[in-house]
Amino acid sequence: MEKFTTLEGVAAPMRIINVDTDRIIPKQYLKTIKRTGLGKGLFAEMRYKDDGSENPDFVLNKPAYRNAKILVCGDNFGCGSSREHAPWALADFGIRCVISTSFADIFFNNCAKNGILAITVSPEDLEKLFEDAERGSNATLSVDLEAQTIKGPDGGTLHFDIDSGRKHSLLNGLDEIGLTLQRGAAIDAYEQKLAAREWA
């Protein structure tokens, strides 16, 4: 998993509440178990018209936000089903950070397992970030996970909270398997001790 340390990039504003995982990646894209190639299906029902052409009104189709790395989202982002394809699609598109006042628990956890930093902020701070994001491609946000800060284009800084275990995993690029392997020596020692006891 790719480490998350700092990120500077364009933030796309998505002022929609209750965006569920089916809107993030519709069901017709769930036939694969690969984590790549899903970026084209991200928000497909909003990004594309019925004839397959792009919807020019959708935020990620606007020139300023085509290369966005950060999403500033409405409340309760990632609700609905538990599909892990949702963070896969975000990551494949290039989104490494999502910011909202609240996330569905399973989506929130799946983001961390896939190297995406999901940040929860107050409604007041979210509004400031929306205002920054709505200024377009000349207004980038800087996210520093170690310092737990978000810096706006005018130098204003917001602080965010994060669980220490989640922070450690993201900073070091560790999914659950990686975390287990970090304890490899202790696991080996336990197994040897157990084997010795069984043969004693």
Side-chain angles (χ1 to χ4, degrees):
M1 187 172 82
E2 186 179 351
K3 294 179 180 181
F4 190 113
T5 53
T6 59
L7 176 68
E8 182 171 355
V10 171
M14 189 173 288
R15 286 183 180 267
I16 308 171
I17 63 170
N18 302 321
V19 173
D20 63 29
T21 53
D22 188 52
R23 290 187 92 181
I24 297 172
I25 185 72
K27 59 186 178 300
Q28 61 266 32
Y29 294 94
L30 304 186
K31 298 171 185 175
T32 182
I33 56 170
K34 294 180 180 178
R35 299 184 185 201
T36 56
L38 289 169
K40 67 179 183 294
L42 181 69
F43 300 117
E45 293 175 355
M46 294 187 282
R47 270 173 76 194
Y48 308 112
K49 296 179 180 179
D50 290 341
D51 64 3
S53 63
E54 288 189 351
N55 172 7
D57 296 326
F58 184 66
V59 63
L60 294 179
N61 289 336
K62 295 180 178 179
Y65 301 111
R66 283 186 178 274
N67 297 311
K69 297 179 182 178
I70 301 166
L71 273 184
V72 182
C73 314
D75 304 339
N76 196 30
F77 189 77
C79 56
S81 68
S82 61
R83 63 188 68 169
E84 196 169 359
H85 292 68
W88 291 357
L90 287 165
D92 193 57
F93 182 86
I95 302 294
R96 294 293 317 280
C97 179
V98 287
I99 306 170
S100 180
T101 57
S102 57
F103 297 94
D105 288 343
I106 295 174
F107 173 81
F108 187 72
N109 289 327
N110 281 339
C111 280
K113 293 175 185 178
N114 289 281
I116 297 173
L117 175 60
I119 300 174
T120 304
V121 297
S122 69
E124 296 75 22
D125 285 346
L126 186 71
E127 186 56 37
K128 291 176 189 172
L129 294 168
F130 269 131
E131 290 172 5
D132 286 337
E134 286 164 354
R135 291 164 60 181
S137 58
N138 292 323
T140 59
L141 297 182
S142 299
V143 180
D144 187 325
L145 178 53
E146 183 64 56
Q148 296 178 208
T149 59
I150 306 168
K151 188 173 289 186
D154 298 324
T157 301
L158 302 176
H159 292 267
F160 62 89
D161 293 323
I162 185 170
D163 172 78
S164 60
R166 188 182 306 272
K167 180 178 179 179
H168 171 80
S169 295
L170 285 164
L171 283 171
N172 293 283
L174 299 169
D175 58 13
E176 290 169 325
I177 294 173
L179 282 170
T180 301
L181 292 175
Q182 273 198 323
R183 296 169 174 79
I187 293 169
D188 289 343
Y190 173 80
E191 292 290 341
Q192 289 170 8
K193 188 175 181 181
L194 191 63
R197 187 183 306 159
E198 287 178 356
W199 290 102

